[in-house]
Amino acid sequence: AGDSSTAVAAANTTAINTAITTYGTTGASLVLPRGDIYLEQAAGGVAWSILFGNGIAGIDLGGQGPNETRLIQNGVGDGGDWHAILFDRCTNCGIHDLHLEQGIIQVPDQIQLNHLLNITNSSLDGTGTTEDIYGYNLSFGKCLGDQIRLFGDTAPIQNIRLDNLTMRGDGICIQSWAANTVYPLGSWVINDSGKNYKCTTAGTSAGSGGPTGTGTGITDGTAVWDYKVPREGARTCISVQRGYRNVD
């Protein structure tokens, strides 16, 4: 806890996923310590940090309370979906006594699909079951997506119960512009009195100033930026979409 470096965030992510897969059918309760626990995107170009995946059953992940254990999704991103916690084709699983939020997503999804909690069924052939999923004593902070998303997709999710939630979606998940910094293609920054800019040519920023105005093709050192309409808060607190039944 308390270390936001890329290496530690990646190690945290690997360790939690290893625990879930190792004890995923034993009925275990996995308990995290107090503090800010930073999470990177899991290795392999996947769309999540923590996964309760196919075949996982009867296990939960908890903390010391939503004011004590904070999971913070933080890192570069790949310009696509990236969810802090994903439930997908698991049964009788849950999370509790945690806070979830995003720190900075440097290259976020272009249509704000960086969700904090995503309960779905991604099976392309309509098989598999995501059911009996629960969460309680949870709080949610800023994110570039939905704080909670329920999305059955090709097969339904069912028997979902979420209780005692605090939703506070305000805040900014995009970094402030910095001088002499390498920016990957697709990066977002805030500069010029709160304006949002997207990097259209990767490069290193200038020694001072940064992008300004509301135009496109703004040169900044070797980086180039376009102004974009602000996208500073949660897309939705709770998004209940298709393919679901018995949601409380």
Side-chain angles (χ1 to χ4, degrees), residues 13 17 31 41 60 85 115 127 187 192 198 236 239 242:
T13 302
N17 283 304
V31 183
Q41 191 167 3
D60 63 28
I85 298 180
H115 309 308
T127 62
S187 298
D192 190 18
K198 179 183 177 183
T236 310
S239 173
R242 66 176 180 259

Side-chain angles (χ1 to χ4, degrees), residues 83 85-88 115-120 149-151:
H83 319 305
I85 298 180
L86 176 64
F87 289 88
D88 185 5
H115 309 308
L116 291 175
L117 174 59
N118 191 11
I119 303 173
T120 189
R149 185 196 196 207
L150 305 175
F151 185 66

Side-chain angles (χ1 to χ4, degrees), residues 220-244:
D220 167 35
T222 59
V224 178
W225 304 90
D226 285 354
Y227 167 77
K228 295 292 183 180
V229 175
R231 43 192 291 149
E232 297 179 351
R235 189 177 74 165
T236 310
C237 283
I238 302 176
S239 173
V240 183
Q241 298 183 12
R242 66 176 180 259
Y244 60 90

